[in-house]
Amino acid sequence: MNGGKAMLQEYNKIMVGIDGSVESANALDRAIAVAKRNDAELLLVNIIDLRAFQSISTYDTMVAEDTKKGAEQLIADFAEEAKKAGISKVKTRVEFGSPKIMMSTTLPKEENVDLITIGATGLSYIERLFIGSVAQYIVTHAKCDILIVR
């Protein structure tokens, strides 16, 4: 570091897609490191795919609510981990919607995100087709930097 504040702050708000996978945990670890260097805020998000609840009935609304509660607990645990690691500004969001649209354009715009961090997935072929398409969509449509953690 030559002379005080030589490095400009690159990122102010880093969004991390959290789905409970090992890959998303790795993505969070990397995002924490980047957030520390940039004194940035972390936004931890979990998007519950609405297509999982297409037939709307009372049973499904209950399942959807339970799913949301579970996701909120998961995200809260990760937020706690980030705070313990020394990140002072941590925000969480659990939303229903299309993961690829919410993560690539909707949330980054709403939240003024300048870096999206997602885990590269090590899932089965079928799951990779689906989840891979989410990462691909984000890479194609996001207006900010993206960090894919392997």
Side-chain angles (χ1 to χ4, degrees):
M1 290 286 196
N2 48 3
K5 227 178 140 79
M7 263 195 60
L8 291 173
Q9 185 173 355
E10 240 183 306
Y11 301 113
N12 292 300
K13 196 167 205 183
I14 302 168
M15 182 175 85
V16 190
I18 302 280
D19 61 9
S21 68
V22 174
E23 291 81 13
S24 72
N26 292 343
L28 176 64
D29 291 344
R30 187 70 61 84
I32 287 171
V34 176
K36 275 183 168 171
R37 285 197 301 270
N38 289 271
D39 189 30
E41 178 178 351
L42 277 185
L43 169 65
L44 309 186
V45 302
N46 178 281
I47 310 300
I48 301 163
D49 198 331
L50 273 177
R51 285 174 302 185
F53 308 101
Q54 260 177 342
S55 52
I56 298 298
S57 68
T58 14
Y59 171 72
D60 284 336
T61 358
M62 280 166 56
V63 172
E65 274 311 303
D66 283 353
T67 304
K68 188 167 190 198
K69 278 195 192 91
E72 281 166 350
Q73 186 54 59
L74 174 79
I75 291 276
D77 292 346
F78 278 109
E80 198 49 50
E81 190 182 312
K83 285 176 186 155
K84 280 193 187 118
I87 307 296
S88 55
K89 296 169 284 193
V90 183
K91 184 176 178 181
T92 62
R93 284 187 66 171
V94 175
E95 305 285 348
F96 288 101
S98 157
K100 56 187 186 183
I101 293 170
M102 296 289 281
M103 297 243 343
S104 64
T105 52
T106 312
L107 291 179
K109 196 179 282 179
E110 280 179 15
E111 295 282 352
N112 210 11
V113 167
D114 47 21
L115 178 66
I116 299 170
T117 310
I118 49 176
T121 178
L123 299 169
S124 74
Y125 174 70
I126 300 292
E127 289 170 314
R128 197 163 53 243
L129 277 180
F130 173 68
I131 293 175
S133 72
V134 172
Q136 186 57 55
Y137 190 94
I138 292 171
V139 167
T140 311
H141 293 86
K143 300 275 186 272
C144 64
D145 287 356
I146 301 152
L147 175 59
I148 297 177
V149 178
R150 304 222 174 268

